[in-house]
Each structure stands twice: as structure tokens, then as C-alpha cells.
Amino acid sequence: MSSRTYESRARTHPTAIGRTLLSLMAAKKTNLCVSVDITDAATILSLLDAVGPSICVAKTHIDIIPFSNSPSSIAEFTAALSALAEKHNFLIFEDRKFADIGSTVKAQYGGGVYNIAKWAHITNAHSVPGPGIVAGLKEVAEELGVTRALLMLGEMSSKGNLGGGEYLAKTLEMARGDTEFVMGFIAQCAVDTREGEDWIVMTPGVDLGRKGDGLGQQYNTPDRVVREKGCDVIIVGRGIIGAEDKVAKAEEYRKAGWEAYEKRVAEGR
Ligand code: 5BU
């Protein structure tokens, strides 16, 4: 776990996207990633325009949006998304959870109907297939000439998931194979950090009230995951998008996440 400030980590993070992210988090005073799990493209865009000032990252599941098979509307949506990211200074994270051999994920990340690598600054991948998955994804970014970063899935939030413990330790070993592309993890706690390393941990399963969703999701509070467990970014979906006043709710989560971070730094945890 790091008691260093986001600001100081922004100067030394091994990945370019990590430096950008930590620096905008410090500037905007937010460690909130909103998960826009909404199936209507226009609603996603208007929500992000409204909550943009409160967030550091917008997390998408592009494949839940029905685009009527129109590639042009996908391109229009991702262009509008990128414009909002510029306008409000946040990054885009497509929660694609790649899980295949290097050659296949290359085609999935760089092409298909979604062209994820062209518009998502960050994506994530399971470690199950081995290090070829990291190499394949990285090749796409290099071939496109874009700066991108990867989060490895070390531990999911859902009940009974097979991550954490030894799985997380092995995933960490895999991440160490490419510290310029892998910026961190999806996990429920900080990971072991050696001299010169700095892993950004982004954590789903965060809610201020509920404990679960009846389908295996498990929730913790921002204070628990950031201050106690040492995670860096809270990922909140239904806690915000399900609220009547989404803008006020996003601010409530931003404040809770930020206070938890300030306490962690002050406590020197
Ligand atoms: P929620 O509404 O805050 O429960 O949404 C959580 C989001 O994070 C949702 O998009 C999930 O697909 C995503 N998620 C998760 O919940 N747990 C995980 O371990 C990972 C992603 Br990885």
C-alpha cells in the first residue's frame, strides 16, 4: 500500500498513462471511476458530461450498447466519448476483460466492430492465458502508435471468484514482465510493491450503502477499499447511475473516496 501522494507518484509512475492518470486525479481531487453500465449511448454521453468534473475515469462496457449494427454510430459514439474525456480531463477504460491467446486478443483489441484500442486509454485482461496476452495487446498499441495501458485482473469483486491469494501473486509476477504497459491491477487490496514499482489498483464492488446485488456482487465502502486496503481508484456503477440525482451522488462518492485517500496519506499507511 502506498502512503505517497498521487501527485508524487504522478512524477515517477513507470507507465505514461499512469502518470497522466495520477496527475489528473491530484489536479481534480478525485479517485472516482464511474462505471456507465447503461445501454443507451446518448444517455451515457449526457451523464458523462454532467459528472465529468467529479471523475478521473469513465469505465465502459461498449458491447452492452445496441448500435443496430451500424459501425458509423459506434464511431460517432466513441468520438463523442473522446471529446468528453478531453473536455473534462478524464480517461476512458473499456472493461473488456480480454482472456485469449495473444494472436486472438490482438484482433479483438485492435479491430472488430469496436476498435477498442483506438479510443480506450485503458483496458484490462485476465492472466489465465499467460504473458502472451500482454504482449499481444501491447503490439496493437505499438502498431497504432497510441499510448495505452493495461490493468491485469488479480481479484474480482464477486463472491466465489478464483482470484486473490496465489492467483494474484502469479498475476503480479506476469505484470512484472512489462512495467511500461501494465499500469496496475483490478483487485480488492494493494499489491506487493518492490523498489521502483508502483501499481495502480482500481477496485470495483464499491457502494456506500448496499452489501451486494443478489447476483454475487459484493460491496465495500470507499473508506474500506482506499484507506484500509490501499486501493487507488474506486469504481462505482449502480451506486451512482441508479440514483435519482446522479450528479450529487457522484460528488458524494468523489468526496468519500478523496477523504479516504487523504486519511491514508495522513496515517502513513
Ligand atoms: P456496480 O453497479 O457498481 O456493481 O458495477 C460494477 C462494475 O464493475 C460493472 O461494470 C462490472 O462489470 C465491473 N466489475 C465488477 O463489478 N467486478 C469486477 O471484479 C470487475 C469488474 Br473486473
Side-chain angles (χ1 to χ4, degrees):
M1 142 153 34
S2 181
S3 60
R4 285 179 63 197
T5 62
Y6 295 140
E7 214 162 12
S8 104
R9 292 167 65 191
R11 290 192 284 273
T12 56
H13 197 271
T15 69
I17 294 286
R19 291 190 292 277
T20 304
L21 175 59
L22 289 161
S23 129
L24 77 86
M25 286 165 69
K28 292 175 72 176
K29 293 197 184 331
T30 177
N31 52 14
L32 171 64
C33 164
V34 68
S35 182
V36 281
D37 300 329
I38 297 167
T39 55
D40 181 63
T43 307
I44 294 177
L45 297 172
S46 60
L47 174 66
L48 287 177
D49 202 12
V51 303
S54 304
I55 63 169
C56 59
V57 177
K59 185 177 85 61
T60 53
H61 280 300
I62 188 97
D63 59 357
I64 68 172
I65 307 169
F67 284 104
S68 319
N69 298 324
S70 160
S72 69
S73 65
I74 295 171
E76 271 169 40
F77 172 72
T78 56
L81 191 59
S82 302
L84 286 173
E86 281 274 319
K87 176 178 171 189
H88 294 293
N89 195 22
F90 61 76
L91 296 183
I92 304 166
F93 165 24
E94 166 61 21
D95 187 4
R96 173 62 179 76
K97 302 185 185 72
F98 289 102
D100 215 318
I101 60 166
S103 158
T104 300
V105 297
K106 245 187 112 165
Q108 292 171 322
Y109 183 38
V113 287
Y114 298 121
N115 297 293
I116 294 165
K118 296 210 175 111
W119 50 270
H121 306 95
I122 303 165
T123 193
N124 53 357
H126 286 288
S127 50
V128 168
I133 192 167
V134 180
L137 294 169
K138 187 182 186 177
E139 272 186 29
V140 174
E142 284 174 347
E143 284 165 19
L144 287 173
V146 289
T147 309
R148 297 291 179 250
L150 184 67
L151 294 165
M152 304 280 313
L153 281 130
E155 181 180 16
M156 292 187 69
S157 58
S158 41
K159 196 172 174 151
N161 82 89
L162 303 178
E166 197 183 334
Y167 185 94
L168 174 59
K170 286 191 169 159
T171 304
L172 173 59
E173 275 316 307
M174 207 177 290
R176 287 186 166 130
D178 193 337
T179 53
E180 280 177 16
F181 184 52
V182 183
M183 73 172 202
F185 299 88
I186 295 284
Q188 297 292 313
C189 58
V191 300
D192 205 28
T193 304
R194 290 183 190 153
E195 181 82 35
E197 291 180 352
D198 184 5
W199 305 107
I200 297 173
V201 176
M202 297 188 47
T203 306
V206 174
D207 198 284
L208 281 165
R210 289 166 308 160
K211 292 275 166 260
D213 69 353
L215 280 176
Q217 178 67 298
Q218 305 176 111
Y219 291 115
N220 285 299
T221 61
D223 188 69
R224 170 102 180 122
V225 301
V226 175
R227 189 179 62 83
E228 290 182 30
K229 305 286 263 174
C231 306
D232 294 307
V233 175
I234 54 170
I235 300 176
V236 183
R238 287 163 285 181
I240 292 172
I241 64 173
E244 188 81 29
D245 186 342
K246 298 167 183 48
V247 175
K249 222 11 140 186
E251 261 303 289
E252 195 179 324
Y253 275 93
R254 184 196 66 77
K255 284 198 188 113
W258 195 257
E259 269 176 35
Y261 154 72
E262 286 193 320
K263 280 189 195 155
R264 172 172 106 202
V265 172
E267 288 169 11
R269 278 174 176 263

